[in-house]
Amino acid sequence: MSITADIIRGHTETIILVSLMEHDSYGYQINKDILHKTNNRYELKEATLYTAFRRLEQAGYITTYWGDEKVGARRRYYSITQEGRKACEQGLREWKEAKAVIDKLLESNEYM
Amino acid sequence: MDNLRIRKYMDQLFDNAPVNRRTLELKEELIANALEKYNDLTQRGYVEDEAFQLVIGSIGDVKQLFADLGADDDYSQAYYLQWAREAQEKKAVLTSISVGLFLLAIVMLVGSFLLYWYNMEFIYIHGLNLNLLGIGLGLLLCILPVSLLVYARKIQPPAEFDYTVGQTALRSENKKQRRKRFKQIKGSLEGLMWLLIVIFYFISSFTTYAWHITWIIFLGGAAIECLLDALTKIFFPLDID
């Protein structure tokens, strides 16, 4: 579990960008998506998630706005920018390359 | 409702956080998402206590988040600079109105005094002593600009952001520029004032023929200049060397 959790945490920013590619979203929704896609096995700590939001905001990859909820507390939505889309594609490329390299390094073991 | 419990928990969590707008927004965001998660969990059948523990358990270590918020001061700087510009404009308007009212009061006082001097007796209209009325109104009229100036002095930045950072930025940013401009404006205003005083001296002297006493206008002018000097030192301490 811990290796997967570490890898997920290491790719928090790309995971956020990917989920914003389809539509604008907010913190809890993004975490719900992660839970859903991993069959309720993984989710990000709030602290990790919001640190990543601030970093992405500073880099100009996402912008933020407040929703106008009629009931309950208002939500803070995030929306991906053009640079964010580029960074997302770059992150995916890097991940694919890393995955291929790790696969090769670990699976080429003839004693397995 | 356990909503209160979550809000209280967040209050405690943010007790040691730096006080600025970003932190307040983060807190609002965290509360909104925590409440939604809590409601989802209770709807899925979790007992209130379990749901609460799950919600606060997933928050994680917020210290790093706070460190980021404190270290990044660009936001409060920009916010403060914007506020400072608006406050400066407001203060300028209030000060000009006050100066205008002061001048009006002075004209009324001097006018009433000169009127008495010229006629050597009080002037009555419908039984009212016009001279004393003018002096009384002139003195009353002084109250308004004084209150306006006190109010202008009291304008403070809102408490919700860390303005000490922005303040130092503002000071170093355009201190020199402001001082230079301030000196120029002050110089031309003083020139204008003395020109008006000379004009006033000649007009009042030629209309009243009271040459033996009208020279006192220049003493009044010098007094006004000293007063304005003192006022600028009180209200614009940053702009004077």
Side-chain angles (χ1 to χ4, degrees):
Chain A
M1 155 132 182
S2 69
I3 288 181
T4 317
D6 279 350
I7 291 174
I8 290 178
R9 207 177 312 124
H11 292 81
T12 311
E13 294 180 20
T14 314
I15 292 171
I16 292 172
L17 290 177
V18 167
S19 50
L20 289 178
M21 281 290 235
E22 290 162 33
H23 51 77
D24 294 359
S25 192
Y26 58 100
Y28 179 53
Q29 178 71 48
I30 288 173
N31 228 347
K32 261 200 303 197
D33 287 349
I34 295 173
L35 258 177
H36 186 68
K37 283 179 185 165
T38 60
N39 291 322
N40 290 326
R41 273 158 55 208
Y42 299 101
E43 67 173 340
L44 289 168
K45 295 276 188 199
E46 260 83 5
T48 316
L49 192 63
Y50 295 108
T51 311
F53 279 148
R54 296 297 98 82
R55 265 205 305 271
L56 288 168
E57 223 184 320
Q58 267 175 355
Y61 294 162
I62 58 173
T63 52
T64 175
Y65 60 93
W66 290 96
D68 52 350
E69 275 67 39
K70 299 286 178 288
V71 215
R74 52 183 190 152
R75 288 176 188 150
R76 191 180 207 183
Y77 286 92
Y78 295 92
S79 153
I80 193 166
T81 63
Q82 208 54 47
E83 291 100 89
R85 287 177 191 277
K86 274 183 215 154
C88 183
E89 281 157 19
Q90 174 73 19
L92 287 178
R93 266 201 302 277
E94 278 172 18
W95 166 247
K96 276 176 190 153
E97 198 184 316
K99 199 168 74 171
V101 170
I102 299 287
D103 276 350
K104 255 186 200 160
L105 288 175
L106 298 184
E107 285 174 7
S108 63
N109 191 336
E110 54 192 281
Y111 304 106
M112 248 175 82
Chain B
M1 276 303 278
D2 254 17
N3 283 358
L4 256 177
R5 206 167 150 197
I6 288 177
R7 281 180 196 279
K8 261 189 189 159
Y9 180 82
M10 292 290 183
D11 282 343
Q12 278 173 6
L13 206 63
F14 278 78
D15 243 9
N16 297 319
V19 180
N20 54 35
R21 177 174 273 235
R22 289 182 77 131
T23 316
L24 285 185
E25 285 182 347
L26 174 70
K27 189 177 173 186
E28 191 176 351
E29 184 180 11
L30 271 171
I31 288 177
N33 287 324
L35 287 178
E36 201 179 330
K37 185 173 183 176
Y38 177 81
N39 289 336
D40 274 3
L41 289 171
T42 46
Q43 262 170 29
R44 272 176 22 212
Y46 280 90
V47 189
E48 288 192 350
D49 206 46
E50 275 180 332
F52 176 75
Q53 292 302 333
L54 276 172
V55 167
I56 62 163
S58 74
I59 289 172
D61 184 16
V62 286
K63 272 190 201 128
Q64 212 239 307
L65 209 48
F66 293 163
D68 285 355
L69 290 171
D72 181 59
D73 290 318
D74 288 353
Y75 192 88
S76 22
Q77 258 180 35
Y79 193 71
Y80 180 83
L81 288 178
Q82 194 201 339
W83 174 85
R85 265 192 294 275
E86 282 165 14
Q88 236 165 25
E89 274 170 33
K90 202 172 167 192
K91 276 185 192 175
V93 170
L94 286 172
T95 312
S96 354
I97 292 173
S98 312
V99 170
L101 287 172
F102 255 135
L103 287 179
L104 192 64
I106 287 167
V107 167
M108 279 181 90
L109 290 172
V110 174
S112 308
F113 181 71
L114 283 179
L115 209 61
Y116 174 73
W117 199 277
Y118 180 56
N119 293 305
M120 274 313 187
E121 62 181 21
F122 291 125
I123 295 169
Y124 290 92
I125 290 178
H126 297 298
L128 278 170
N129 185 329
L130 208 64
N131 304 90
L132 290 182
L133 193 71
I135 287 171
L137 281 179
L139 286 175
L140 273 178
L141 202 60
C142 288
I143 295 171
L144 204 62
V146 168
S147 348
L148 282 178
L149 285 176
V150 169
Y151 172 69
R153 183 89 182 118
K154 281 255 149 70
I155 297 176
Q156 290 290 331
E160 66 208 46
F161 63 90
D162 183 9
Y163 67 88
T164 46
V165 184
Q167 220 164 21
T168 40
L170 179 75
R171 277 184 197 165
S172 56
E173 187 195 61
N174 48 17
K175 203 173 177 182
K176 265 190 189 164
Q177 227 181 347
R178 276 183 55 182
R179 276 189 181 170
K180 204 175 151 195
R181 238 184 55 196
F182 194 82
K183 237 180 178 172
Q184 286 172 344
I185 292 173
K186 203 175 157 221
S188 37
L189 281 180
E190 268 167 17
L192 181 71
M193 192 187 80
W194 281 112
L195 186 69
L196 288 174
I197 286 170
V198 171
I199 291 171
F200 182 60
Y201 168 73
F202 279 113
I203 288 175
S204 52
S205 303
F206 275 115
T207 49
T208 60
Y209 297 107
W211 293 90
H212 60 284
I213 192 64
T214 44
W215 57 269
I216 219 162
I217 288 169
F218 288 106
L219 281 187
I224 291 173
E225 190 176 7
C226 289
L227 182 74
L228 288 180
D229 222 40
L231 283 176
T232 49
K233 270 182 188 134
I234 293 168
F235 291 106
F236 305 95
L238 283 178
D239 302 304
I240 294 161
D241 300 297

